[in-house]
Amino acid sequence: LLRVVVQGPMPKGTKEFDDSLVHIIFRNPSQESYAAPTRPTAVFGVHVMHKGLQLGGAVGASSSVLLALTGPRGFRFLKRLVQLTALTSTAGMAIGVGGAVRKISSLPESERQDGIEDRAFRIFHNRKQNLVDRYSCVGIGMGMIGGTLVCGLSLSGLIGGAGLGAAAAVGVVIAKTKTASQK
């Protein structure tokens, strides 16, 4: 009711976006909708965590070359790779969250919520970013299963697998969009 009073009624053909946890993480607003997300802080926070996990996973995956040249072979190599990626993914998320908190806290108090809402709106309606994040969600799930198979049900297995899965999913999206643009 407050939204209708403050912003006026929604234009015809647009729907309020469901603000359940699944829809916050797995964003897919309709193309004709220009509705603001109902939980902008959650949308912004999930986005920052996605980017940190993807960055940490990419750093961990790229370190596999160095690890392969100097480290163990076979199954032990996979275990070390997942454990290393758990560290880089955790660091990536910490850096992302720290940077976001620093940026938000540098704004004047009166502009902080507006800044979060503005950024969340742009993230929410960016189709390419939503595509990357949806693929990343699938990759995270698959990576967590793989990490658990390699390291057992442990925090390093879950986080490292999630980071590797997120990085692989981003690689798939990049390859898919480059292939599609070459046709």
Side-chain angles (χ1 to χ4, degrees), residues 3-4 7-16 30 32-36:
R3 178 178 302 239
V4 172
Q7 297 177 343
M10 298 294 289
K12 279 194 168 188
T14 60
K15 296 184 225 173
E16 282 283 335
S30 63
E32 68 274 354
S33 172
Y34 289 101

Side-chain angles (χ1 to χ4, degrees), residues 7 13 31 34 52 54 67-68 77 90 92 103 106 116 131 134 140 144-145 148 150 153 159 176 178 181:
Q7 297 177 343
Q31 291 185 1
Y34 289 101
Q54 291 165 2
L67 192 61
F77 166 76
T90 303
K103 176 68 176 170
S106 71
I116 291 172
L131 177 70
R134 283 194 304 272
I140 288 168
M144 289 173 80
I145 292 168
T148 301
V150 171
L153 188 56
I159 295 173
K176 183 178 174 183
K178 282 188 178 182
S181 67

Side-chain angles (χ1 to χ4, degrees), residues 125-141:
H125 290 287
N126 186 333
R127 286 189 194 98
K128 290 181 181 177
Q129 185 62 59
N130 289 337
L131 177 70
V132 169
D133 287 347
R134 283 194 304 272
Y135 270 72
S136 180
C137 284
V138 173
I140 288 168

Side-chain angles (χ1 to χ4, degrees), residues 44 104 107 110-122:
F44 180 66
I104 298 288
L107 295 173
S110 60
E111 296 176 15
R112 287 183 186 165
Q113 190 60 34
D114 289 340
I116 291 172
E117 289 173 3
D118 177 60
R119 184 69 184 127
F121 181 85
R122 288 186 282 135

Side-chain angles (χ1 to χ4, degrees), residues 34-94:
Y34 289 101
T38 54
R39 293 186 174 177
T41 306
V43 169
F44 180 66
V46 167
H47 172 74
V48 168
M49 295 295 281
H50 264 261
K51 296 300 118 199
L53 189 62
Q54 291 165 2
L55 172 67
V59 170
S62 62
S63 68
S64 66
V65 175
L66 204 67
L67 192 61
L69 294 174
T70 61
R73 303 277 184 249
F75 188 76
R76 287 181 47 210
F77 166 76
L78 288 176
K79 190 170 183 174
R80 287 273 174 92
L81 178 62
V82 171
Q83 290 169 341
L84 178 64
T85 305
L87 291 173
T88 59
S89 295
T90 303
M93 288 187 289

